[in-house]
Amino acid sequence: MSASEIEVPASSHLATSWHSIDWETGHRQVRGLQVRIAKAAKNQQWRQVKTLQRMLVRSFAAKVLAVKRVTENRGRRTPGVDGETWSTPESKWKAVFRLERRGYKPRPLRRIYIPKANGQRRPLGIPTMLDRAMQALYLLALEPVSETTADRNSYGFRPHRSTADAIEQLFVNLGRKHSAQWVMEGDIKGCFDNISHDWLITNVPMDKVVLRKWLKVGYMESGRLNPTGAGTPQGGIISPVLANLALDGLEKELESRFGQRNTKASYKTKVNYVRYADDFVITGISKELLENEVRPVVEAFMAKRGLSLAVEKTLFTHVADGFDFLGQNVRKYGDKLLIKPGHKNVKALLAKVKALVEANKAVPASLLIKQLNPVIRGWANYHRPIVAKQTFNYVDYRIWKLLWRWCRRRHLNRCKRWVKEKYFKRVGTRSWVFSGLHPSGKLLHLLYASDTPIKRHTKIKAEANPYAPEDEMYFEQRLEYAWRSSDEGKRKTLRLWIAQNKRCPLCKQLITFDTGWNIHHIVERHKGGGDELENVELLHPNCHRQLHAQLIR
């Protein structure tokens, strides 16, 4: 039975259970209000913004979408201090009616620590499921404003933007023969931990009472309640957007002082700005300009928000010496700018691969391959838009040496030729491909990083806004391009996606990598249905579950 043939209620508020929700109507209602909020924010009609936000957070459609988000993301099984998770349709349905502003009192965060690359630990605050859902609800109303007022060249924690966009903008700023020769590498000291609560409450365009409750809620550690006097908790759904709102405005501050891009004033100073989350790079014509004029502007801007620059990590670097940004090294060789994988990033990958190999000394080769391939594929795909072919070859060689040592250790009494014939097969033009036979009978091969083709990234337009109707076609074109160029957009899936007009047949919303998708068999396989294209369609995971819940009634 096709998804389009399933009957759903006429409107989202007529639903009587989780699986009877009309997601198409819900998405349409929320999207319509978000577009109106973005338009009002663009016109600086802040009274209208407040009214529309209040309408949105009170709507049934927004509440069910908020619950859907927190029960489908990666942290859905991680409870807060109350130990509660919403894993059943009944618990999700009841949660919708708990999302009320009146009487709402958030619970303290559950403090955990995760390791950082430098050996230190980063604190994370885990809210309860109810608090996460409330944050997701208010984020639906806040994000259209943050996207409308954001710095043009801010790329972190924003929809449809990525590290590749930030790196490509750096190439635009530094790649020409007469581009700026100096950069200021900015590092904010404890950004998430030190943002002023007073500044956020005064300047963030959302319900001040609810925001104050989230900021002052405190966290539990070792059975003790600890107050929070500053900062936004790392781990909250809304925290990245609050941090972005606090840091937005620096680009305009620099432009007012040193001239807008492509103006006569900007050609004299060549001051340009790129930010990803709390890491930023500012270019300039000289070290003296950056150190004596740009830095004071940045420090004054940060001070208003309770922030400061980390002195030891704020560096002034000539492009000929190169600098690392987002795991990649940016350096000019003569008049040519090359961006390559950073040395630390390569070292971290090889350390991770080595740890996996040493932790699996006795497992079959096929199981080791299944663990290594996602690591290699993810790393190679991250670096595929830059000058990485030589680094890919080096990484392949180092991994081969690790695996050869792994094989020899397992068979000390066998000759090298025997080991080679057992573990290394010929695949295409390669004769030394690490391979292993899976219990299912399929021969698995290790992925080579150098087999990943280098493909230049097309940067997003700086002014593009996903909540502006005039940019709708632009974002659909980018989505189609991403599917066509990605390894995940396999030929069969891509044909299905295009045939469905890029949308889920059940809720009529776009299918993206963020939403994920399931393949649904119209005639189920246990009833004789096959995998031919005529018998399959792409659905959102939640829509897929809803469809099957109605099919089994």
Side-chain angles (χ1 to χ4, degrees):
M1 189 173 186
S2 170
S4 58
E5 296 171 351
I6 289 292
E7 294 183 2
V8 293
S11 61
S12 61
H13 73 278
L14 297 179
T16 57
S17 67
W18 182 255
H19 283 314
S20 67
I21 294 172
D22 180 1
W23 295 104
E24 179 184 356
T25 301
H27 279 289
R28 189 168 63 245
Q29 290 174 349
V30 170
R31 186 71 178 183
L33 282 171
Q34 287 178 320
V35 169
R36 292 173 63 188
I37 291 170
K39 182 179 179 181
K42 184 177 180 180
N43 297 330
Q44 297 188 349
Q45 298 171 337
W46 299 113
R47 187 184 295 273
Q48 179 74 354
V49 167
K50 186 176 180 181
T51 301
L52 292 170
Q53 285 181 327
R54 189 185 301 114
M55 290 173 58
L56 181 57
V57 299
R58 291 179 178 179
S59 70
F60 177 83
K63 291 177 181 179
V64 297
L65 290 181
V67 173
K68 179 173 179 284
R69 173 172 179 172
V70 301
T71 55
E72 293 192 356
N73 60 19
R74 287 188 298 177
R76 63 187 179 274
R77 295 187 181 93
T78 305
V81 294
D82 59 357
E84 183 181 359
T85 58
W86 301 334
S87 56
T88 64
E90 292 76 18
S91 60
K92 297 174 187 178
W93 180 249
K94 290 177 182 178
V96 173
F97 302 97
R98 295 171 61 189
L99 302 185
E100 295 289 343
R101 180 181 183 274
R102 178 175 294 180
Y104 169 65
K105 187 177 180 181
R107 301 284 296 274
L109 307 173
R110 182 167 69 90
R111 174 62 62 92
I112 63 172
Y113 293 90
I114 59 174
K116 296 172 65 174
N118 58 8
Q120 297 179 353
R121 298 192 304 165
R122 173 182 284 112
L124 283 184
I126 308 299
T128 64
M129 291 295 291
L130 178 61
D131 294 335
R132 273 179 256 176
M134 286 291 285
Q135 290 188 19
L137 175 63
Y138 279 85
L139 180 59
L140 288 171
L142 181 60
E143 194 170 66
V145 180
S146 67
E147 282 300 299
T148 304
T149 60
D151 286 342
R152 295 195 315 277
N153 290 305
S154 161
Y155 299 98
F157 302 123
R158 295 183 61 192
H160 306 290
R161 284 167 168 78
S162 65
T163 54
D165 292 309
I167 292 293
E168 189 64 26
Q169 183 60 37
L170 270 183
F171 184 85
V172 171
N173 292 343
L174 298 170
R176 297 183 179 86
K177 182 177 180 180
H178 300 292
S179 295
Q181 298 296 303
W182 285 87
V183 299
M184 172 182 171
E185 303 173 60
D187 189 277
I188 302 171
K189 189 174 182 179
C191 177
F192 281 88
D193 297 328
N194 296 312
I195 299 176
S196 167
H197 285 180
D198 291 338
W199 190 94
L200 288 173
I201 293 168
T202 303
N203 294 278
V204 172
M206 67 166 286
D207 191 310
K208 311 295 183 186
V209 174
V210 175
L211 177 59
R212 184 185 297 275
K213 288 179 179 179
W214 286 336
L215 295 176
K216 304 294 184 182
V217 70
Y219 62 91
M220 296 293 294
E221 186 175 16
S222 301
R224 295 180 56 189
L225 176 62
N226 299 273
T228 48
T232 61
Q234 296 187 57
I237 287 178
I238 204 169
S239 296
V241 175
L242 294 179
N244 268 342
L245 285 167
L247 297 176
D248 282 336
L250 180 55
E251 186 170 24
K252 293 176 183 175
E253 192 88 12
L254 293 169
E255 287 178 348
S256 66
R257 179 72 180 270
F258 303 102
Q260 291 187 354
R261 187 175 177 85
N262 298 327
T263 61
K264 188 174 182 180
S266 69
Y267 285 132
K268 292 181 180 179
T269 60
K270 297 178 181 176
V271 172
N272 291 295
Y273 170 80
V274 177
R275 177 170 68 84
Y276 188 90
D278 58 343
D279 294 326
F280 63 88
V281 172
I282 302 176
T283 67
I285 200 168
S286 68
K287 182 179 180 180
E288 291 73 23
L289 173 73
L290 292 173
E291 203 163 5
N292 300 328
E293 297 186 44
V294 172
R295 181 171 180 165
V297 173
V298 175
E299 288 178 335
F301 176 87
M302 297 295 175
K304 294 177 183 177
R305 291 149 175 79
L307 301 172
S308 61
L309 296 176
V311 178
E312 67 281 359
K313 295 182 180 179
T314 301
L315 308 174
F316 300 90
T317 311
H318 195 277
V319 290
D321 297 326
F323 62 96
D324 287 349
F325 186 61
L326 302 177
Q328 299 178 347
N329 182 261
V330 183
R331 185 176 178 183
K332 212 162 191 175
Y333 301 82
D335 291 333
K336 193 173 186 65
L337 183 77
L338 297 181
I339 303 177
K340 304 178 181 180
H343 175 71
K344 291 181 180 178
N345 189 269
V346 174
K347 190 175 178 181
L349 169 74
L350 294 175
K352 185 173 184 178
V353 170
K354 184 178 180 180
L356 282 174
V357 172
E358 291 184 348
N360 293 276
K361 293 178 180 178
V363 303
S366 61
L367 295 183
L368 179 59
I369 290 170
K370 287 188 72 174
Q371 293 187 59
L372 290 176
N373 275 355
V375 174
I376 298 170
R377 182 184 293 109
W379 181 84
N381 284 339
Y382 180 80
H383 292 290
R384 70 184 296 182
I386 60 174
V387 184
K389 202 67 176 180
Q390 187 175 358
T391 307
F392 286 174
N393 289 329
Y394 170 73
V395 164
D396 287 339
Y397 167 70
R398 289 290 303 274
I399 293 175
W400 178 87
K401 286 191 69 175
L402 284 170
L403 293 173
W404 177 251
R405 192 179 304 130
W406 181 86
C407 296
R408 293 282 290 154
R409 187 188 297 118
R410 291 163 68 95
H411 304 283
L412 296 175
N413 297 326
R414 296 286 188 171
C415 66
K416 294 180 180 179
R417 182 182 295 276
W418 185 93
V419 173
K420 189 265 181 188
E421 290 177 354
K422 179 175 176 60
Y423 290 104
F424 295 90
K425 310 298 181 182
R426 184 175 187 85
V427 179
T429 58
R430 295 186 186 274
S431 57
W432 281 82
V433 179
F434 184 65
S435 306
L437 191 64
H438 193 264
S440 65
K442 183 179 179 181
L443 188 64
L444 301 182
H445 305 293
L446 184 75
L447 179 74
Y448 276 74
S450 55
D451 286 342
T452 303
I454 302 299
K455 190 174 184 67
R456 190 70 176 266
H457 177 73
T458 303
K459 192 185 84 69
I460 192 170
K461 289 195 295 191
E463 296 83 6
N465 185 345
Y467 297 101
E470 59 270 20
D471 291 330
E472 184 75 20
M473 183 68 71
Y474 172 73
F475 281 105
E476 288 199 348
Q477 291 170 351
R478 283 187 66 83
L479 180 62
E480 184 170 347
Y481 172 78
W483 275 64
R484 289 184 181 277
S485 61
S486 170
D487 291 337
E488 293 187 54
K490 305 259 183 183
R491 186 175 302 171
K492 189 172 182 178
T493 308
L494 180 60
R495 288 175 63 185
L496 278 173
W497 183 69
I498 293 174
Q500 295 176 191
N501 198 25
K502 313 165 195 172
R503 297 178 183 273
C504 171
L506 189 59
C507 68
K508 304 300 189 294
Q509 299 303 304
L510 286 172
I511 296 175
T512 70
F513 287 127
D514 289 334
T515 65
W517 67 89
N518 292 158
I519 294 179
H520 171 66
H521 290 75
I522 299 171
V523 178
E524 294 158 288
R525 281 179 289 185
H526 72 271
K527 295 181 180 178
D531 291 335
E532 60 274 6
L533 283 177
E534 295 78 14
N535 192 50
V536 293
E537 56 188 2
L538 300 182
L539 301 177
H540 289 135
N542 188 73
C543 295
H544 195 208
R545 290 192 291 270
Q546 178 178 354
L547 177 58
H548 276 274
Q550 297 189 27
L551 285 173
I552 62 178
R553 286 180 183 175

